[in-house]
């Protein structure tokens, strides 16, 4: 029976284990000594665009924007040329249609004039004849 008491007295007589913890920047110490110091995570699976420095990414963005601007300008020029050709064709067709209308009107007017002249000639023949 004395053996269990001897173990209890020997365990209580041993000093508790104290682990020293380094102070943090703010003067606080973590309560868990078994955990290591926190550091930034190094991720190898992130894309290269995120790994590159900010200024380099901005420079790449500027280059892409410049290329897009040039492409946009070329497309606009091409569209303007196409619109110009379409406008020329439309104007040419309108002029041709107007010319045709004028010729039709002249023909119609001359036909009416011929009719009037025939009527007059018919009257004059009847009067003279």
């Amino acid at each position: 029976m004395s053996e269990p008491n001897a173990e209890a007295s020997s365990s209580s007589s041993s000093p508790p284990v104290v682990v020293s913890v380094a102070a943090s920047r703010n003067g606080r110490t973590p309560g868990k000594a078994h955990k290591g110091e926190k550091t930034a995570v190094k991720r190898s699976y992130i894309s290269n665009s995120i790994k590159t420095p900010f200024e380099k990414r901005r420079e790449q963005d500027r280059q892409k924007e410049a290329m897009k601007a040039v492409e946009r300008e070329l497309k606009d020029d091409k569209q303007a040329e196409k619109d110009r050709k379409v406008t020329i064709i439309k104007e040419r067709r309108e002029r041709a249609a107007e010319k045709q209308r004028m010729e039709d009107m002249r023909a119609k007017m001359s036909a009416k004039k011929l009719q009037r002249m025939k009527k007059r000639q018919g009257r004059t023949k009847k009067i003279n004849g």
Side-chain angles (χ1 to χ4, degrees):
M1 289 197 157
S2 65
E3 291 176 357
N5 287 340
E7 279 183 30
S9 64
S10 66
S11 65
S12 63
S13 64
S14 66
V17 176
V18 176
V19 177
S20 64
V21 180
S24 68
R25 208 182 299 168
N26 296 330
R28 298 180 62 204
T29 56
K32 299 179 181 175
H34 62 281
K35 290 196 171 185
E37 190 177 325
K38 290 186 178 181
T39 58
V41 177
K42 297 193 181 195
R43 297 176 291 175
S44 61
Y45 57 86
I46 59 176
S47 66
N48 286 335
S49 62
I50 296 174
K51 286 182 183 179
T52 57
F54 181 78
E55 286 302 319
K56 193 170 186 179
R57 289 198 311 261
R58 289 293 77 85
E59 182 62 32
Q60 289 172 349
D61 289 346
R62 278 189 227 106
Q63 288 175 353
K64 285 180 185 176
E65 283 299 318
M67 286 176 51
K68 285 182 183 179
V70 169
E71 287 176 4
R72 226 177 288 124
E73 186 178 335
L74 290 173
K75 283 183 183 178
D76 290 346
D77 289 346
K78 191 174 181 180
Q79 186 64 35
E81 182 66 23
K82 187 176 179 181
D83 291 343
R84 188 181 66 80
K85 286 181 181 179
V86 167
T87 322
I88 290 171
I89 291 170
K90 283 183 180 178
E91 288 175 355
R92 188 183 316 136
R93 286 180 183 164
E94 286 174 4
R95 284 194 305 265
E98 183 64 27
K99 187 176 180 181
Q100 186 64 36
R101 277 195 296 274
M102 294 300 282
E103 287 177 7
D104 292 345
M105 194 185 326
R106 279 191 205 113
K108 190 175 179 182
M109 294 303 278
S110 64
K112 286 185 179 181
K113 189 174 182 181
L114 283 172
Q115 278 182 341
R116 284 194 305 268
M117 288 176 72
K118 282 182 184 178
K119 281 185 184 178
R120 284 186 191 160
Q121 285 178 357
R123 286 187 206 154
T124 56
K125 283 184 184 176
K126 286 182 185 177
I127 296 172
N128 292 337

